[in-house]
Amino acid sequence: MKSTLLSRRDLDFLLFEWLHVDELTKRERFAEHSEETFAGVLDLCEQLATRYFAPHNKKSDANEPSFDGRTVTIIPEVKEALDAFARADLIAMGMDAELGGAQLPMAVAAAGLAWFHAANTSTAGYVLLTQANANLLAKYGTAEQIDAFLRPMLAGRFSGTMCMSEPQAGSSLADIVTRAEPCDSGPFAGTYRLFGSKMWISGGEHELNENIVHLVLAKIPGAPPGTRGISLFIVPKYLVSADGTVGERNDVVLAGLNHKMGYRGITNTVLNFGEGGFRPDGRPGAVGYLVGEPHRGLSYMFHMMNEARLGVGVGAIALGYTGYLKSLDYARNRPQGRPVTTKDPTTPPVPIIEHPDVKRMLLAQKSYVEGALALALYCARLIDIGRSAESADELESSTLLLDILTPIAKSWPSQWCLEANNLAIQVHGGYGYTREYDVEQHYRDNRLNPIHEGTHGIQSLDLLGRKVVARNGASLSALAAAVNQTVSAATASGGELGELAAQLEAAWRRLVDITGGMFASGDIEAALANSVVYMEAVGHLVIAWMWLEQMRAAEGRDGDFYDGKRQAGRYFFRYELPKTGPQLDLLESLDRTTIEMRDAWF
Ligand SMILES: Cc1cc2nc3c(=O)[nH]c(=O)nc-3n(C[C@H](O)[C@H](O)[C@H](O)COP(=O)(O)OP(=O)(O)OC[C@H]3O[C@@H](n4cnc5c(N)ncnc54)[C@H](O)[C@@H]3O)c2cc1C
C-alpha cells in the first residue's frame, strides 16, 4: 500500500532524476556513499517513521506532557520512538565521520527527516533540536566539550535544546537579560554561573534520556550592549564528571509547561536558571561552560540558523505533504453529488475527486507541497556543495544562493504548506473539522512554523533588509543568474516550456527592477514597511522557478507521474504566479498605508 506520509516516488524524482544527488558521491566528502546507500537511508527512515512515530501521533496530541511540580510525564511511545531512532544511528546521519557520523549529504538527510515530521512532528522535534545543538557544538565546541556533551547526544544518551527566547525578548534577542557571572575559584573555576529565565524552550524538560544539554544565550556583566554582548553557554541539566558519567543536578529547573495549540507532544517550557533550587558547590547559579569566545554567541547561533530554518521549512512541507496525500485518498473514496452536466438524480453519486473544485484544491496542495519540497532539497544540496566545494568560486556561489534562499525556504512552506493543510480540511468537509481525521491536527501542528525560528515578518526583514542588499546585491544577482539559466534552457526547449519561461523571465525582470527602485528612492522606511509583500512575491517567483525546473526534468517522459508534474506546474503558473502582479505593483508604488496608519485609528 502506498504511504500517506510522503511520496517516495516524488522524493526519488527530486533527488535522483532532477538534483542528481548521486553525483555528489564523486566528491571526496561523500565518496563512501552510493545511490544504493542513499536509497537505503530513505527506506530506513520511511520504515522507522511508519512503525515508531506515526502510530502515537494522535495519542501524544490528545495526551500532552504534564507536570506535577516535580516530574514531567510523557506517553511512553515517545521514548520508544526516540530510542529506535538513536539505535539506527540516525542522529548523526549528516555529521562528520570523525565524530561518528554517516557524513550523508544534507539533501538525503533532509528527505529522510521529512518522513519523521510527516509521521509525528512533535516527537521528531526532539531529534531536530538535538541535531541542531550537536551541529553547533561540532563547529564551535572544544575537544572536551565534544567528548562530554556532543558524543553522548549522538549516541542518544543526552538530548539538546536551544535556549534563546526570554519572556520579554523573542524577536529582539538584543534585549535578553539572562546573565552569566564568571566563576574564578573552587571546583568550577573557569566556568560561569547563569541567572535568568528562558521562555518557550522546546524539549526543555523530560526524562526521555540521561541528560539535557541546554545551549543558552546570556550576557556576561560588562559586555557591550545589544547583540554584540551575547555569549553562548552549555548548561547541562546534570553536571557531567570527567569520566562522562552524569552526576550532580545543576541549578536549572522547570518553572512550568506551555499549553500549545498544536505540536503538543513535545514539552515547551519556561526554565529558570540560578534560583537556588539546586546548589552546585553549595551555592546558587546554573553552572555554564562558555562556547567559543565571549560576546560571539549570537553569531554562532546564526551560523547554524541556515540549517535550522531549512529544518523548519522541511517540517512544514512534511505536514503539508501528508495532509495532501490524506485528502487525496479521501477525495477518491468519498461519493458525493453528481457532475454539473448530469441531470438524472437516480445516477450514483461520484467520488468528490470528480468535481473540478475539489481537483482545484488538490492541485493547489500538490503545487505547494511539491514545489516547496523541491526548494528545500535544492537548498539542502547547496549546503552539500558548500561543504564539499572544489573551488573558491563554487563555495562563493553556493553560499550566496543559500543565503538569499534560506528565509524563503523557511517562510514559504510555513505559509503555503499551512494553506495546503487548510485545503486538506476543506476537501474532507465536515469530517475534516473533527478529531477523528488527521488533517485538523496537521493544521494545528503546522501553525507553529510561521512563528518560531524567526517569525514570518522577521524573515522578510532578513530577506529585504539584509540578504538582498548585502555586498551590493550579490546574493540577489546569484539568484537571478540561477533563474536565468533555467529560463534559457526552457526557452531553448520551446513549446510550453518556452512559454512558461517567458512568463517567469518577465516577472523576474520586473522584480529586479522594482528592487533597485525601492532602494534608489532612499525611503528605506517605505521599502521595509512592505517587506512581507516583497518576500511573498519573491517566494512565489522562486517556486515558479522550481516548477519550471521540475517540468524540465519531466520533459519527454511519459506516464501518470510525469503528467501529474506537468499539470501541477501549469496550475502554479496559471493560478499562483499571477498573484505576484498586484504585489509587485504595491511594492513599486512604495506604498505608505501601514506607516501612515495611527494607533488611535484602530
Ligand atoms: C511552540 C514554540 C516553540 C518554541 N521553541 C523555542 C525554542 O526551543 N527555543 C527558543 O529560544 N525559542 C523558542 N520559541 C520562541 C520563538 O522563537 C518566538 O516565539 C519567536 O521568536 C517570536 O518571539 P515572541 O513570541 O516573543 O513574539 P514577538 O517578538 O513579541 O513578536 C510578536 C509579533 O510582532 C512581530 N514583530 C516583532 N518584532 C518586530 C519587528 N522588529 N519588526 C516587525 N515585526 C515585528 C513579529 O513578527 C510577531 O508577529 C518557540 C516558540 C513557540 C511558540
Side-chain angles (χ1 to χ4, degrees):
M1 211 178 85
K2 270 194 189 166
S3 176
T4 52
L5 295 178
L6 293 177
S7 160
R8 176 59 187 272
R9 178 69 189 89
D10 194 26
L11 283 175
D12 285 345
F13 168 75
L14 293 171
L15 289 173
F16 302 114
E17 295 175 46
W18 172 50
L19 291 173
H20 301 291
V21 292
D22 42 306
E23 286 179 9
L24 289 171
T25 61
K26 292 182 189 145
R27 293 163 179 251
E28 200 184 327
R29 181 173 171 83
F30 306 115
E32 295 292 309
H33 289 288
S34 63
E35 187 167 339
E36 287 69 39
T37 59
F38 295 163
V41 170
L42 296 177
D43 290 345
L44 177 67
C45 290
E46 178 175 355
Q47 285 159 14
L48 290 181
T50 307
R51 181 164 168 203
Y52 291 102
F53 282 66
H56 69 278
N57 193 35
K58 285 183 94 65
K59 184 175 173 187
S60 64
D61 181 61
N63 302 275
E64 60 183 330
S66 60
F67 180 47
D68 62 7
R70 291 173 64 88
T71 325
V72 169
T73 304
I74 298 175
I75 60 164
E77 290 88 340
V78 175
K79 179 170 170 50
E80 286 160 24
L82 293 172
D83 287 349
F85 192 92
R87 271 197 310 275
D89 273 341
L90 288 174
I91 298 175
M93 64 178 144
M95 297 202 74
D96 290 1
E98 68 183 45
L99 289 169
Q103 218 162 285
L104 274 168
M106 186 70 187
V108 177
L113 276 179
W115 285 104
F116 297 96
H117 280 293
N120 188 327
T121 200
S122 293
T123 302
Y126 289 104
V127 174
L128 199 78
L129 284 159
T130 301
Q131 286 179 327
N133 182 312
N135 280 335
L136 198 148
L137 287 185
K139 177 105 182 140
Y140 298 109
T142 61
E144 291 76 27
Q145 290 170 344
I146 287 174
D147 286 343
F149 302 110
L150 187 146
R151 292 189 197 278
M153 279 197 281
L154 299 185
R157 285 179 50 218
F158 296 1
S159 54
T161 72
M162 307 297 265
C163 302
M164 295 174 277
S165 311
E166 296 180 4
Q168 80 298 342
S171 300
S172 178
L173 291 174
D175 299 323
I176 64 164
V177 292
T178 297
R179 70 179 197 284
E181 293 179 357
C183 175
D184 299 327
S185 59
F188 295 107
T191 66
Y192 290 76
R193 291 291 180 126
L194 273 76
F195 301 87
S197 205
K198 290 286 172 183
M199 179 65 176
W200 303 119
I201 307 310
S202 298
E205 179 59 26
H206 53 73
E207 312 278 329
L208 294 166
N209 43 22
E210 291 174 43
N211 204 356
I212 304 176
V213 181
H214 302 292
L215 279 180
V216 186
L217 291 180
K219 289 183 175 171
I220 299 169
T227 53
R228 285 180 301 113
I230 297 176
S231 304
L232 180 66
F233 299 87
I234 299 167
V235 181
K237 176 178 168 185
Y238 293 99
L239 296 165
V240 179
S241 50
D243 67 358
T245 53
V246 168
E248 187 184 356
R249 183 72 202 264
N250 202 356
D251 192 7
V252 46
V253 295
L254 176 65
L257 293 175
N258 293 312
H259 301 287
K260 305 185 295 288
M261 168 184 182
Y263 246 96
R264 290 188 178 168
I266 183 167
T267 51
N268 189 270
T269 60
V270 187
L271 295 179
N272 287 344
F273 295 79
E275 282 205 323
F278 298 91
R279 303 166 75 90
D281 192 31
R283 64 186 184 89
V287 175
Y289 306 89
L290 181 70
V291 178
E293 293 170 27
H295 317 319
R296 300 205 46 209
L298 204 59
S299 70
Y300 301 150
M301 279 283 189
F302 276 125
H303 194 95
M304 291 299 134
M305 223 54 123
N306 276 351
E307 282 178 42
R309 291 185 174 169
L310 184 58
V312 171
V314 169
I317 294 161
L319 286 168
Y321 215 121
T322 187
Y324 157 60
L325 293 178
K326 287 169 186 168
S327 65
L328 175 62
D329 193 44
Y330 184 85
R332 284 178 170 147
N333 291 298
R334 167 73 175 166
Q336 194 73 199
R338 288 156 190 83
V340 284
T341 49
T342 304
K343 300 278 183 281
D344 180 0
T346 63
T347 57
V350 294
I352 57 171
I353 197 168
E354 297 296 323
H355 301 305
D357 189 55
V358 173
K359 283 197 259 192
R360 173 190 63 80
M361 292 191 278
L362 293 169
L363 263 171
Q365 290 179 69
K366 183 175 167 69
S367 76
Y368 300 155
V369 303
E370 293 181 13
L373 184 59
L375 176 62
L377 296 179
Y378 182 89
C379 289
R381 200 191 52 157
L382 286 176
I383 294 176
D384 295 327
I385 291 172
R387 279 189 186 154
S388 60
E390 289 167 342
S391 67
D393 278 356
E394 197 179 50
L395 178 61
E396 164 93 349
S397 61
S398 59
T399 306
L400 284 173
L401 255 183
L402 186 64
D403 273 353
I404 196 161
L405 286 175
T406 297
I408 298 163
K410 191 269 174 184
S411 59
W412 201 91
S414 299
Q415 180 177 13
W416 293 98
C417 296
L418 177 68
E419 176 57 17
N421 288 145
N422 185 28
L423 291 168
I425 295 173
Q426 196 69 17
V427 168
H428 280 73
Y431 297 92
Y433 195 62
T434 69
R435 290 196 295 276
E436 274 62 43
Y437 286 78
D438 292 351
V439 284
E440 63 84 29
Q441 185 189 343
H442 296 325
Y443 182 86
R444 285 188 289 106
D445 287 350
N446 218 350
R447 186 61 188 84
L448 173 62
N449 288 319
I451 297 173
H452 68 159
E453 278 300 337
T455 61
H456 200 61
I458 296 298
Q459 298 297 328
S460 73
L461 290 172
D462 179 45
L463 176 69
L464 188 57
R466 285 200 207 103
K467 303 294 170 59
V468 163
V469 291
R471 295 174 55 191
N472 276 331
S475 268
L476 186 64
S477 302
L479 179 56
V483 171
N484 279 336
Q485 219 173 9
T486 309
V487 163
S488 302
T491 307
S493 293
E496 182 182 26
L497 286 182
E499 284 168 27
L500 298 181
Q503 285 175 38
L504 180 59
E505 188 185 24
W508 192 265
R509 194 171 289 166
R510 195 161 171 234
L511 172 86
V512 172
D513 288 349
I514 289 171
T515 307
M518 283 165 74
F519 287 102
S521 75
D523 190 351
I524 300 300
E525 190 188 18
L528 291 182
N530 291 309
S531 58
V532 161
V533 178
Y534 184 87
M535 181 173 73
E536 293 183 3
V538 178
H540 257 51
L541 290 174
V542 164
I543 298 297
W545 167 44
M546 289 291 109
W547 271 111
L548 193 55
E549 279 280 313
Q550 291 187 75
M551 291 170 85
R552 283 192 57 233
E555 195 184 6
R557 303 193 187 204
D558 295 328
D560 289 341
F561 177 82
Y562 299 107
D563 287 339
K565 281 284 173 199
R566 280 184 278 274
Q567 197 68 359
R570 278 176 207 126
Y571 175 89
F572 198 86
F573 270 83
R574 291 174 193 169
Y575 284 69
E576 296 292 334
L577 186 60
K579 290 178 182 170
T580 58
Q583 290 173 322
L584 295 176
D585 292 344
L586 187 96
L587 291 167
E588 192 171 28
S589 72
L590 283 171
D591 188 86
R592 300 181 65 83
T593 307
T594 56
I595 297 170
E596 286 162 3
M597 182 65 185
R598 294 185 198 166
D599 186 344
W601 296 352
F602 281 107

